Amino acid sequence: MPTSLVHVLNCSCLITNQTLFTTTVPYKFMWLYLAVLLGLYYFLRWYRERQVVSHLRDKFVFITGCDSGFGNQLARQLDLKGLRVLAACLTEQGVDQLRNQTSDRLQTVILDVTKTESVSAATEWVKEHVGDRGLWGLVNNAGICTPMAPNQWLTKQDFVKILEVNLLGVIDVTLSLLPLVRKARGRVVNISSVMGRMAVFGGGYSMSKYGVEAFSDSLRRELSYFGVKVAVIEPGYFLTDMTQEEVYRENLQASWDHASPEIQELYGDNFLADFIKASDFLKAPWARNLSLVTNCMEHALTACHPRSRYSAGWDAKFLYLPMSYLPSFLVDLMIYWNYPQPAKAL
């Protein structure tokens, strides 16, 4: 073979080997590059979210629904941090109980979010306390969850009852206090639910939380022009006074008792017990650890860079939120798997 031809063949082999090397090596390290990038992203996010707002002891936070549950624990938690908490309770009993557990800095007021005159009076009360400093934080926490039952068992008033507290109450309180929040360039924190992403049961609860999600999204974009941040907290299942098993069962039984004879015949006598059993599936080991939710609320109020949404509870993070992104027919199948069947189902 001529020397020149051998030289050409050797050069072509060398080029081929170099090409193979340059095309295969990056693929070998692709996952490493990806892991490094992800690690860097989460480190930067962690560092950014650790930055805390200064002068917190001078800032006022107004919280609704402080009689019990998340609102009560958040009021006590922020009070220990030294913030000036303005706690709204529905009852005098709630006021007395909260005062006995907190410092003299915490101030309380009676508020029924379903009554505009009560909201107006509470707004004037807040103005007197915050003065020219404005309101740093508004936490719309007040809410109810019952009646929660198949839609055909319910009446229009059952839906209105929940919507007035969970959605219209949130809107009324927010619009009334927004001038004070804008003055402080503060925060609005709305307590939604993972059921605001995916409706598992009938009734007005999921509807109201879907509404809170929509209101919060539009509000976040509007208020960004004025330096105000809006965050949504989306808890999974947690055990509070409004989700106590006895309360839930009593409301469910009342809805069944008020259903028409035709509806009761359609569903059958065994459906109620099966429905309660299926609801037990929602319970989780961490359900009593309310700090998983209140820590998210605190971060939304005190971090320099709060998130737009917080998911609290492993069921919210790894079950319901992923389900909410699946095709509808798959979600339906998953819910059918745990849902009891009516007696007269086709």
Side-chain angles (χ1 to χ4, degrees), residues 31-320:
W31 294 111
L32 178 60
Y33 296 151
L34 183 60
V36 170
L37 286 174
L38 283 174
L40 182 62
Y41 165 76
Y42 281 110
F43 173 77
L44 291 174
R45 191 178 78 163
W46 170 82
Y47 176 75
R48 192 169 183 264
E49 291 186 346
R50 279 176 57 87
Q51 299 176 43
V52 178
V53 173
S54 59
H55 307 296
L56 285 175
R57 290 180 175 270
D58 298 328
K59 299 188 183 301
F60 288 88
V61 177
F62 181 72
I63 310 168
T64 67
C66 292
D67 298 77
S68 61
F70 302 137
N72 183 278
Q73 178 152 325
L74 179 66
R76 291 184 281 113
Q77 189 168 318
L78 295 183
D79 182 56
L80 286 173
K81 296 280 185 180
L83 279 79
R84 298 176 179 270
V85 178
L86 305 175
C89 298
L90 181 62
T91 65
E92 289 287 354
Q93 181 182 357
V95 166
D96 294 339
Q97 185 257 351
L98 187 59
R99 280 177 175 167
N100 292 333
Q101 297 178 330
T102 53
S103 72
D104 294 335
R105 284 191 309 275
L106 184 140
Q107 302 295 318
T108 56
V109 66
I110 296 293
L111 172 63
D112 183 345
V113 298
T114 66
K115 297 178 179 178
T116 299
E117 59 272 20
S118 180
V119 173
S120 298
T123 300
E124 292 302 318
W125 178 83
V126 172
K127 284 181 182 178
E128 293 174 4
H129 281 80
V130 303
D132 295 332
R133 280 176 287 189
L135 181 64
W136 172 255
L138 166 60
V139 181
N140 285 303
N141 168 75
I144 58 175
C145 67
T146 55
M148 187 184 293
N151 292 313
Q152 296 183 94
W153 299 10
L154 304 173
T155 65
K156 175 185 174 181
Q157 191 55 39
D158 292 326
F159 290 90
V160 170
K161 176 184 175 183
I162 293 182
L163 291 171
E164 281 186 339
V165 178
N166 293 4
L167 180 56
L168 299 180
V170 168
I171 294 171
D172 197 6
V173 171
T174 302
L175 295 181
S176 295
L177 289 169
L178 266 185
L180 298 175
V181 178
R182 284 200 309 268
K183 182 178 288 188
R185 295 184 181 178
R187 311 284 169 84
V188 177
V189 180
N190 292 331
I191 312 307
S192 178
S193 167
V194 74
M195 296 304 169
R197 296 286 197 101
M198 186 182 67
V200 177
F201 298 120
Y205 183 73
S206 285
M207 294 171 57
S208 68
K209 295 306 183 181
Y210 268 78
V212 168
E213 295 275 345
F215 177 61
S216 301
D217 281 344
S218 60
L219 197 67
R220 183 181 67 251
R221 297 176 187 118
E222 291 175 22
L223 296 183
S224 64
Y225 295 105
F226 306 101
V228 175
K229 298 184 186 336
V230 179
V232 181
I233 314 296
E234 299 172 334
Y237 176 83
F238 284 89
L239 191 60
T240 64
D241 281 5
M242 77 174 190
T243 57
Q244 289 285 351
E245 187 174 345
E246 297 79 11
V247 176
Y248 173 72
R249 292 192 178 196
E250 286 176 7
N251 278 274
L252 194 60
Q253 182 69 55
S255 298
W256 171 255
D257 292 340
H258 286 93
S260 67
E262 178 189 4
I263 292 299
Q264 291 184 355
E265 183 181 353
L266 280 175
Y267 281 86
D269 295 334
N270 296 327
F271 185 89
L272 180 61
D274 293 339
F275 189 83
I276 292 174
K277 189 182 298 183
S279 302
D280 291 340
F281 176 75
L282 296 175
K283 296 177 181 177
W286 55 84
R288 294 183 182 275
N289 186 9
L290 303 189
S291 62
L292 293 175
V293 179
T294 57
N295 287 344
C296 293
M297 298 157 79
E298 181 185 332
H299 187 271
L301 290 166
T302 61
C304 291
H305 306 286
R307 301 180 188 180
S308 297
R309 278 181 167 80
Y310 294 81
S311 298
W314 297 114
D315 54 343
K317 295 176 185 292
F318 296 110
L319 179 61
Y320 296 115

Side-chain angles (χ1 to χ4, degrees), residues 1-10:
M1 183 178 294
T3 305
S4 58
L5 181 58
V6 173
H7 180 70
V8 169
L9 288 174
N10 288 337

